[in-house]
Amino acid sequence: MARTTKERDFMDNHGISAEWLGNYIEGFRGKDGNLHPLLEVKRIHSMKVRDNCALIADGLGWTGFLRDLALTAAVLHDAGRFLQFVTYGTFFDGASVDHGDLGGRVLEESFPWERLEGESAKATVLEAVRLHNKKFLPAGLSPEFLPVAEIVRDSDKIDVFRLVRRHVEENRVNDLLPRLNVGGGYSGELVRELEEEGQGSYRNVRSLADFLLVQLSWAFDLNFAPSFRILDGDGTFSWIAGRLPSHPAVDPFVDSVFRHVEAMA
Ligand SMILES: [Fe+2]
């Protein structure tokens, strides 16, 4: 189908954003010209999240401005990670700063908003960036912002699932998550949180088992059928379940995740 000129104009907001992010990241290279390996991970993550977003958007039949806006927000979602890391030496928000909020501030100050097409682009992208890492989306979020905020959260989670799995399989998860106790069981606080709220948060994560359990609970926070299909296609949920220690409070939760995935995929 032929695109209108107006629609075609909108199609490259995400290209402009990727170009800006690439240049922004250049400023974080050391005197030797190298980017810290963990910042390189975030650079690649940003592109993978954009690619995941494109797959989900295509699965949903999103086209034109909405698709482009979603990809724009996906590319920029972790803009706060770079300043967070050089300022605090960690990606752990609990010990530093909320990186979604920081990303919003970085973009407000440094992004060339005048280059983006579309009246609502700035507000929608900033909202999606600020909200991408929050435990839940706010109940009263405007329907104008909701789809892009939701697709960025799904796209981000898919790459984090893959990233963590790869690092666990290569026995180097501590490169990615330095504070994690690889051998330990579940923390009591996390199990309580899961029982009370149905979702665990990073705040209570101590061990790899905790982290994988929090990741599994993300199944209840995925928004779109294509996201479930992508993750199910990877065998993600079974892979995690196969690594979780058995626990009387956790086992029924794992079963409920599988029922949910089956219903949603
Ligand atoms: Fe993030």
Side-chain angles (χ1 to χ4, degrees):
M1 194 174 66
R3 291 189 185 115
T4 63
T5 309
K6 204 169 173 55
E7 209 177 349
R8 197 165 49 239
D9 285 345
F10 281 139
M11 297 307 288
D12 205 33
N13 283 338
H14 67 277
I16 290 166
S17 304
E19 181 195 318
W20 174 83
L21 185 72
N23 290 332
Y24 174 72
I25 294 171
E26 283 301 302
F28 291 88
R29 289 192 186 278
K31 287 194 187 79
D32 57 1
N34 291 331
L35 198 58
H36 190 287
L38 288 175
L39 293 184
E40 179 65 12
V41 167
K42 291 299 175 193
R43 188 186 70 77
I44 294 168
H45 168 70
S46 302
M47 301 306 133
K48 295 259 170 84
V49 171
R50 175 201 56 196
D51 296 346
N52 294 339
C53 186
L55 277 177
I56 300 168
D58 293 344
L60 293 168
W62 291 11
T63 58
F65 184 48
L66 180 60
R67 183 182 188 278
D68 181 51
L69 207 51
L71 266 61
T72 304
V75 166
L76 298 175
H77 82 284
D78 258 352
R81 282 303 199 185
F82 304 90
L83 191 56
Q84 178 188 35
F85 191 76
V86 299
T87 308
Y88 301 97
T90 180
F91 290 135
F92 184 49
D93 286 11
S96 56
V97 67
D98 181 303
H99 77 274
D101 293 345
L102 180 61
R105 287 200 294 280
V106 164
L107 291 170
E108 268 193 285
E109 285 167 20
S110 312
F111 189 81
W113 294 106
E114 70 285 354
R115 293 183 65 195
L116 287 201
E117 299 277 349
E119 258 175 46
S120 60
K122 180 178 179 181
T124 307
V125 168
L126 284 177
E127 201 69 330
V129 170
R130 289 190 196 109
L131 294 175
H132 87 271
N133 64 328
K134 302 298 181 281
K135 191 169 171 186
F136 301 108
L137 284 175
L141 184 62
S142 157
E144 190 189 351
F145 300 140
L146 188 64
V148 173
E150 286 184 333
I151 201 169
V152 170
R153 287 167 68 91
D154 280 21
S155 309
D156 186 26
K157 287 186 177 77
I158 291 169
D159 193 54
V160 178
F161 274 120
R162 289 175 173 164
L163 208 55
V164 170
R165 180 174 178 174
R166 197 160 62 241
H167 280 76
V168 170
E169 287 180 334
E170 292 170 4
N171 284 321
R172 52 187 194 95
V173 72
N174 280 133
D175 291 357
L176 195 66
L177 303 159
R179 294 157 179 260
L180 221 55
N181 168 10
V182 176
Y186 303 116
S187 83
E189 292 89 343
L190 183 68
V191 173
R192 255 193 307 283
E193 190 186 11
L194 201 68
E195 284 176 311
E196 283 162 20
E197 297 182 35
Q199 203 190 23
S201 54
Y202 285 130
R203 181 167 40 90
N204 290 321
V205 165
R206 308 279 176 273
S207 67
L208 178 59
D210 289 338
F211 190 90
L212 292 176
L213 188 56
V214 167
Q215 276 207 309
L216 198 66
S217 76
W218 290 352
F220 292 109
D221 190 36
L222 287 171
N223 300 292
F224 298 113
S227 312
F228 284 94
R229 288 199 288 270
I230 291 167
L231 287 167
D232 212 22
D234 284 353
T236 301
F237 302 109
S238 311
W239 180 83
I240 292 179
R243 269 148 198 84
L244 290 179
S246 184
H247 182 289
V250 172
D251 296 351
F253 175 77
V254 173
D255 292 341
S256 72
V257 168
F258 278 93
R259 283 196 300 275
H260 183 65
V261 171
E262 209 176 315
M264 300 300 286

